Amino acid sequence: MTNPTIAMIPLNKLSLSPLNVRKTAASQEEDNELYASIKANGIKQNLLIHKSGNAYQINAGGRRLTMLERLLAEGEISADKEIPCIIETKKQAEETSLIENFVRAGMHPADEAEAFNTLEKKGWSREEIANRFGLTLNFVDRRMKLARVSPVIIEAFRANKLTLECVQAFSITDDHGRQNEVWEEYATSPYAAYPSNIKSALTQRTYHGNSKLARFVGVEAYQAAGGTVLRDLFSDNNSVHLADSDLLEKLAGDKLQAIADELAKQWKWVTVELEVAYDAFRSFGHVYPEPIEPDPALVKEFEDLETRLEALSNEYDEETWTEELQSEEDAASERLEEIRTIIANSATFTVEQKAIAGVVVTVDHGGDLRIEAGLVRPEDLPKKKSVSDEDEGDSAGPDIQLPVSTTRTIDVNNDPATDARKQQGVSMSLAEELRATRHQILQSHLAADFATAFDVMLYSMCFRTLRKSSYRSTPINVSITHAETWRNRDAIKDTVAARMLQATRDGLNVEWLSLASPHDFEAMCALPDADKQVLFAWCSAHGVIQQLATDTDANPVIEVIGHRMAIDAAACWRPTAANYWGKTKKDHAIKVARELIDDRWADDRAKDKKPVIAASMEQAFSEDPRAAAGLTPDTAAKTSTWLPDGMAFTGSFTERAPAQDYSSHDYDDDDLDTEDNEDRATNVDKAGDADPEDELQEHEQDFDEDGDIPAFLKEDAA
């Protein structure tokens, strides 16, 4: 090792050496830090240079040179200011540059936090610390927040037992005792500590500020009531945790109870629940609001608006039309749609319904008030009626959708079977074991007997769809729920599809339903296969979900089903002024007309009023546009089959990755074979290039081609 030569070299004789190994520029933030330090304290570390002619080139210290030149440009220093340097030979230069940049170690964050905290105790403000060292205020704040962490954890951090992110996670609470408690758990655990786990452990007795109860009550209201808040100081959104869970739950309960007290004046019962399970209301019957006569004042306003719009349309003249008239027409049309929606949704619970039903007041997942009304408890359900009574149309009392029985309920105080078991010394737990064993035996046989399984499933499905007033368990726990379409009852009244449904319903063989159990089951089993198939299809259709093909969460299987049956939705529904064109924007109608008819037809009607355009579109898009609107055969072929986006059953859908379900499989090492997994990945990649239409055709080949009846329902099925 040679002794270095130290010299003071004027700034104007220094330049950056091409031998300097640092090629990647530092960040603006880092440069600002260095600039502030040199400006305040000067050069504290000598530059490493080598001779180059009459000047010197810098091997290590290029950033310091750049900051000096910046100070020169700003007039802070002169060009001949002498800079402390260490002179090396050119041979040493490249090696020195590499060592100086590669071996350098930054200051430990814990040391930075301690240093900044010391300066703050001496009276320095955060802004002064940031400016003096060329740091951002955010950087200084984040380092000083580490001072909230227990010294025990800081020492573990210095010993490289924790990452910086983990240490930051501890700062969510000021309670050093709780911090140490959590750290001790991880220090003795074989598992590594992660920031998310640390935060979870420190806040497991709290509610997050984004939880539904916190949203419902409000963080400010919670704090006003004396609640303590923990803040995640290192989170970008500065998230909070509400530490006093009992207080938050009380505030939420009180808020819900105030609403429940008002509802209790109208309903048979009202309860408050902070949490409800997803299937909490399965055991209840349901009543739904009945249509009511709309407010006469609203009807009068609706009629006046219609009269005014008709007058504006009749009086329309392009030369005399003004912006004021256009604004009036737009406002009237908008208000007309609002009233139409209000009238269509006019429904309320009747006094009779409220006399037997109740309400659960709770909070939904988004933190908003949720009122689940119209629930009928099992004990409040009407007495069971015979099928003959139902056929007579006895409608005394409200219409109730009955619950699906999911649990066994036995009155143990008056149960002969229980008494007999007691005499035999058969305990309840032993009875449960026997019940489970017998169930398994039945399962194993039913799973191998298609004919019986089909009859049992059909029987259960029929009870859920055809005997709505029968509150009785079925042999198979099946739930078929009709989609809620009552809000749109007017839109689906007396349609082609409604008449098709009624015709199918009238043709069902349901005489067996009038028999007592199990004779009804035996009679159903004896039905011809054709009758069973019609019943099965009816029950299945009863539970199909509703969607447009364009819905974000559309089920692709629904689209395949419609495509398989070649459903012609255009033959069942045509867009009219009442059901479509009068409810959409004028621009949409003109755009569709321009695309399917022609520009001239669209231009001729573009300036017409919305009711006129809607009437024209109804004619042009009817079942027979040639007769109704005088369209050419080619154009009529397009408009007579046009449907809004998502209405047609084309079979197209967005491919979804199948959800993995490991719940019912046992895996061994062979299941995880690497080569097999690679083969599967290759096949997936290849499948991704397939034509969706080809995939649909392949899918359809899985079904019997002789007709609409799947092979497994035919007489020769195994």
Side-chain angles (χ1 to χ4, degrees), residues 217 562 588 644 684:
V217 172
H588 167 62
V684 170

Side-chain angles (χ1 to χ4, degrees), residues 547-551 554-565 646-654 696 700:
Q547 69 180 35
L548 291 174
T550 51
D551 289 345
N555 188 326
V557 176
I558 295 294
E559 303 312 310
V560 172
I561 292 170
H563 183 74
R564 174 188 172 183
M565 294 187 292
M647 280 287 286
F649 291 94
T650 63
S652 61
F653 53 85
T654 301
L696 286 172
E700 290 173 355

Side-chain angles (χ1 to χ4, degrees), residues 289 331 349 368 487 588 629:
F349 290 99
D368 296 319
R487 290 186 178 86
H588 167 62

